[in-house]
Amino acid sequence: MAARSPAAAGTGEDATAPSLDELMPWSVPPMRSGRAWVTGPDPGALRARWERLAAAAPAEQERLFGPTRSRTPWTAVTALPGRAGGTGAFARAPGACPDPVRILHGPFDEQWLLPDHRLIDAARPELWRVADGRQLLIVEHGRAPQDSGPALSVTALLADGHSPAGRPGRIRPLYRRPGGVEPNLAPGLLGLLRDRLGGAAGEDPFAPESVLAWVLAAARPAAGGCRVPLPADGAVWAAGVELGRELLRLHLRGARGGERPRLPGGRRPYVRAALPDRPAALEYHAEEEALVIGGGRISPVPAAAWEFTVGGVRMLELWFGRRAAAAAGLGADGAAADGAAAGGRGWLRDWTSELLDLITVLALLDATAPRRAALRSRLERTPAITRDELRAAGVLPAPAAARRPASVLGHQEEGPDGQFALL
């Protein structure tokens, strides 16, 4: 047991605190689609892109597809785990359009993806194998100087690991196997925490989701990835887990049957004037706490929600810009769309509801700042469970097998052109 020095404590650079990579050793690189048109905020547009590509003549199909070294219209692939998509060349037999799946596209932006392995350069099949109703994914964000936004996001959806600024972070599943089996934690960590902090209050204070809650509340950005200070005081642990569970509820936005976040009465945002079909600009009027979108208007919108950043990028501006471009049939950067992109269908009603939800989530996350600051202050005054202690207990370093995907195959997966391997 050791105390952090005041100069190092809370800076995120404290070398005595274990890193997230040490505590959750298995991670998956960000998804790499290779072509922007396979994801987007409008599932109807994704279906239209598929139909346009599937019906195109060979030369046009090649152009629309956007070939890369990993994927062309003639590439045969393995099956995407859990999906019924084709494995033969798209050019020969595209098949029916698969139903788009909901994903987390970077922090706080839920979009859609065409789940066909022939269209995705690096789909990270190991992530799809463990995605189920129990799984939660932790995504690290790229950092920007002086950024005060969160270092992590948590989602019940598949995540692509996109980062609005800096190098994309890793994706860390909470469980290594489907069904909430085998937590992705350094072997021995849960036992050590129970032994050292056994008096901590709360429901299941040392369950895997409790550790995830602590990480969400206590993680600090650092040059080599997040550091996660561990207290040697059960009361501090319990307070951090309680705060982390509230943060987790906000990140999940009502997923898994949870409560949808809501601001107190009188502070909930409403549409005061309908949003235009093809909005071009977003403005914030601080005096009236209003988002002005062309002739449309939403209020009240707390300034904290408007100013909420990740990687130095305002989340509301980024979210709106992507949908304004999609409404007009443009690329995500506002430039003329290429590849199999189809014309825009205008502003969707669902997007307005999603915007209201996002405003709510960002405002409520910002409102936890005093509690997060109080936890940070308590950590600076509390003896810590250090990396040296974790090493002495045999928790660190995690064995090499803990950094590799678990063997989770309960059945054969279809290989390229429908072939199955001989076992």
Side-chain angles (χ1 to χ4, degrees):
M1 178 174 70
R4 289 177 292 275
S5 68
T11 63
E13 299 294 341
D14 178 14
T16 67
S19 68
L20 181 60
D21 184 65
E22 291 173 311
L23 298 182
M24 301 187 74
W26 179 43
S27 66
V28 178
M31 193 180 300
R32 190 177 71 251
S33 68
R35 47 203 51 80
W37 58 264
V38 301
T39 61
D42 178 6
L46 296 185
R47 292 187 178 93
R49 293 171 189 178
W50 174 285
E51 298 299 338
R52 181 184 177 196
L53 181 67
E60 178 68 357
Q61 187 177 83
E62 182 92 5
R63 185 188 71 80
L64 294 174
F65 188 94
T68 60
R69 287 194 302 173
S70 298
R71 294 290 187 270
T72 76
W74 294 97
T75 304
V77 298
T78 58
L80 195 57
R83 311 302 303 183
T87 58
F90 189 95
R92 286 199 301 267
C97 178
D99 290 334
V101 297
R102 197 74 158 156
I103 65 167
L104 184 70
H105 178 57
F108 306 108
D109 191 350
E110 295 183 0
Q111 295 201 17
W112 299 89
L113 167 72
L114 284 171
D116 189 298
H117 211 179
R118 297 171 296 181
L119 308 181
I120 306 171
D121 279 14
R124 311 306 177 194
E126 61 272 37
L127 202 59
W128 294 72
R129 290 189 185 105
V130 298
D132 65 4
R134 293 289 306 278
Q135 187 65 269
L136 295 172
L137 302 180
I138 301 91
V139 185
E140 294 184 72
H141 307 315
R143 304 296 295 171
Q146 308 303 317
D147 182 26
S148 60
L152 304 170
S153 287
V154 181
T155 181
L157 304 172
L158 280 164
D160 63 8
H162 178 80
S163 180
R167 184 175 181 177
R170 309 282 291 189
I171 303 168
R172 300 181 189 277
L174 179 58
Y175 297 103
R176 291 170 48 80
R177 299 177 187 273
V181 176
E182 192 179 334
N184 178 25
L185 298 170
L189 177 63
L190 291 178
L192 181 142
L193 292 174
R194 286 191 182 96
D195 291 344
R196 292 294 310 276
L197 308 173
E203 182 180 352
D204 295 324
F206 307 108
E209 284 200 19
S210 297
V211 177
L212 169 60
W214 173 265
V215 168
L216 200 54
R220 303 286 178 258
C226 290
R227 295 277 181 182
V228 184
L230 298 175
D233 184 313
V236 176
W237 174 266
V241 170
E242 181 183 7
L243 171 58
R245 287 189 181 279
E246 173 63 12
L247 296 172
L248 181 59
R249 183 184 73 86
L250 296 176
H251 278 260
L252 296 184
R253 305 192 213 181
R256 308 280 167 80
E259 179 187 355
R260 291 183 67 82
R262 300 182 69 183
L263 284 163
R267 297 301 299 163
R268 294 172 191 161
Y270 288 96
V271 177
R272 310 297 177 173
L275 276 59
D277 186 55
R278 295 180 184 268
L282 174 71
E283 298 177 357
Y284 182 66
H285 293 185
E287 303 80 8
E288 296 120 22
E289 290 191 310
L291 277 183
V292 178
I293 305 170
R297 187 180 186 89
I298 296 174
S299 68
V301 177
W306 171 250
E307 295 293 346
F308 197 103
T309 64
V310 177
V313 179
R314 280 196 183 113
M315 290 294 95
L316 284 178
E317 284 188 311
L318 181 62
W319 185 97
F320 169 80
R322 289 168 173 166
R323 282 151 185 80
L330 302 175
D333 59 359
D338 56 8
R345 301 198 302 159
W347 186 270
L348 304 184
R349 181 179 299 179
D350 286 349
W351 294 349
T352 301
S353 299
E354 292 171 15
L355 177 55
L356 297 175
D357 286 345
L358 180 57
I359 292 168
T360 298
V361 167
L362 298 183
L364 289 172
L365 282 172
D366 183 80
T368 66
R371 293 175 65 189
R372 288 185 278 115
L375 177 65
R376 188 166 184 164
S377 178
R378 290 183 72 177
L379 277 169
E380 291 174 355
R381 304 190 306 270
T382 301
I385 300 173
T386 65
R387 298 173 77 193
D388 287 344
E389 182 173 347
L390 294 174
R391 288 193 185 99
V395 174
L396 298 182
R403 295 190 169 276
R404 297 191 295 267
S407 177
V408 300
L409 293 181
H411 62 280
Q412 286 183 292
E413 291 180 355
E414 187 176 343
D417 282 325
Q419 300 297 314
F420 286 90
L422 295 176
L423 299 179

